[in-house]
Amino acid sequence: MCTYSTERIEVRRSSGKGPEGWFPLRTATVYYDHPVHAPDDHTVNIDFLAPDRGPGARVAVELSLESARELLAALQTTVERAQHH
Amino acid sequence: MAYDAVLAETVGIRGHGDDLIEAYTARPMAPGPRGGVIVIHHMPGYDKETKEMVRRFAVLGYDAICVNLYSREAPGAAPDDAAAAARARGGVPDERFVGDAKGAARWLRGLPTSNGRVGTIGYCSGGRQAFLSGVEVDVQAAVDCYGAFVVGTPPEGFPLQVAPLADRVPELRAPLLGLFGQDDAHPSPADVDELEKLLRDNGKTYEFHRYEGAGHAFFAVNRTAYRPEAANDGWERIEAFFGRYL
């Protein structure tokens, strides 16, 4: 399915590294849809973008559902741990 | 041997708001007259697989064109980057799509080979847009390949600009061919049944085919969703449908 299912967040004080080096990130879209490259019908996709720098300013991942769940848990753990630093 | 040369190229055409937008066209080199086909790409973009479909329609004997619906967000960008940029901005507004489709139809009819008849075909999000073009654009045939949200309502808080079109069914002015996978969730078999009922109740000319063992994107040869049996039968239905109306 083209699920259209999309979440979008503003990203602040964060950076990503694309083909032309590091750049400040502005937004991230998270969606479950067809991947371009990963070998599944649907994947959890994340695009970190800086629209002010053009469409090529993009860090993209396509994660299998299982890997996305593991990433979610790892983020949760890391963010909780960071609060105690 | 029959003469079967085809020309494929990227061109600039005038779309919504008279904007100059990118499009990919493939046309038989044999003299006309013949019909034209507008291919509407899926949400992942104006990619090489969609361009292959454009060439296939030229081989079938039609002047074919696919507009890059993300021309404005990402001129010259890689298709996946363009799709990501368009998605982040909420997708393609319907009004702009309609303007671009009208521009494509105008471009096809301006060819010296045109017989004045134009059809549209769209996949995934393009399936919904193919239906919309059958309402808003002067086309003689429309093919909806598993388009979601022709009927049904997107969830609350949905960030993309996609509204259901069920209330536009009475305005549909082109015969509609619908090709759907029974394992698809968007559109679900119930959505397809609902759309068929609306078409029937409104006295529209339509033809629906539902494929067992196929889900969404069963025409996509580069994806695991590809189902050759459904896709082969679907292509035959498309050829017959366009043969009848174009």
Side-chain angles (χ1 to χ4, degrees):
Chain A
M1 57 189 143
C2 275
T3 60
Y4 296 89
S5 161
T6 301
E7 299 296 322
R8 182 175 182 276
I9 60 163
E10 301 297 318
V11 180
R12 296 175 200 88
R13 301 178 60 78
S14 306
S15 297
K17 193 174 183 184
E20 290 176 10
W22 287 96
F23 58 95
L25 300 174
R26 306 289 182 215
T27 67
T29 47
V30 184
Y31 52 102
Y32 185 61
D33 213 327
H34 307 305
V36 172
H37 189 271
D40 272 331
D41 285 347
H42 301 91
T43 47
V44 175
N45 307 320
I46 310 173
D47 292 322
F48 293 102
L49 304 169
D52 50 317
R53 291 174 179 244
R58 174 178 177 231
V59 179
V61 292
E62 298 175 334
L63 302 171
S64 66
L65 209 47
E66 186 187 358
S67 294
R69 280 197 193 98
E70 288 179 21
L71 175 65
L72 191 61
L75 279 171
Q76 186 72 40
T77 303
T78 305
V79 168
E80 278 172 12
R81 208 178 280 154
Q83 288 168 352
H84 303 297
H85 279 278
Chain B
M1 279 188 290
Y3 179 64
D4 64 355
V6 161
L7 171 69
E9 60 180 339
T10 297
V11 294
I13 71 164
R14 293 288 167 183
H16 182 67
D18 206 35
D19 295 344
L20 184 65
I21 52 173
E22 181 183 4
Y24 184 76
T25 170
R27 312 183 298 277
M29 290 291 91
R34 55 180 166 259
V37 172
I38 300 169
V39 178
I40 308 166
H41 64 71
H42 57 168
M43 202 155 170
Y46 170 80
D47 53 15
K48 63 182 189 296
E49 290 76 20
T50 306
K51 290 178 176 179
E52 281 177 10
M53 288 179 173
V54 175
R55 292 193 293 273
R56 183 165 181 161
F57 283 108
V59 170
L60 291 172
Y62 299 100
D63 294 319
I65 191 167
C66 175
V67 172
N68 180 356
L69 297 174
Y70 306 148
S71 282
R72 295 168 187 78
E73 283 85 0
D80 60 322
D81 287 347
R87 182 186 287 269
R89 292 192 196 184
V92 175
D94 280 347
E95 184 189 0
R96 196 180 88 189
F97 161 75
V98 168
D100 288 353
K102 285 180 176 172
R106 205 161 43 237
W107 189 89
L108 286 168
R109 291 196 172 100
L111 294 171
T113 47
S114 173
N115 68 1
R117 305 183 74 76
V118 172
T120 53
I121 180 166
Y123 305 85
C124 309
S125 55
R128 176 181 170 279
Q129 289 164 326
F131 176 90
L132 183 61
S133 66
V135 172
E136 294 272 6
V137 184
D138 177 17
V139 294
Q140 283 65 53
V143 183
D144 167 7
C145 301
Y146 35 78
F149 300 122
V150 176
V151 298
T153 308
E156 191 94 7
F158 208 60
L160 297 184
Q161 307 172 59
V162 51
L165 299 171
D167 60 332
R168 309 295 305 275
V169 168
E171 301 168 65
L172 181 69
R173 51 180 166 167
L176 181 74
L177 172 65
L179 303 170
F180 307 100
Q182 289 289 75
D183 296 341
D184 200 341
H186 299 280
S188 68
D191 292 334
V192 174
D193 290 346
E194 187 184 339
L195 177 58
E196 179 168 28
K197 182 176 186 313
L198 284 168
L199 291 164
R200 192 172 49 234
D201 291 350
N202 282 279
K204 299 298 175 184
T205 303
Y206 73 92
E207 181 184 322
F208 273 15
H209 299 280
R210 301 162 170 84
Y211 297 100
E212 295 290 344
H216 200 78
F218 60 78
F219 279 110
V221 293
N222 62 320
R223 296 178 186 275
T224 52
Y226 182 53
R227 294 292 178 274
E229 282 183 27
N232 289 341
D233 186 79
W235 274 109
E236 286 179 25
R237 305 289 183 181
I238 293 163
E239 288 176 35
F241 189 74
F242 281 161
R244 195 177 319 138
Y245 294 108
L246 303 184

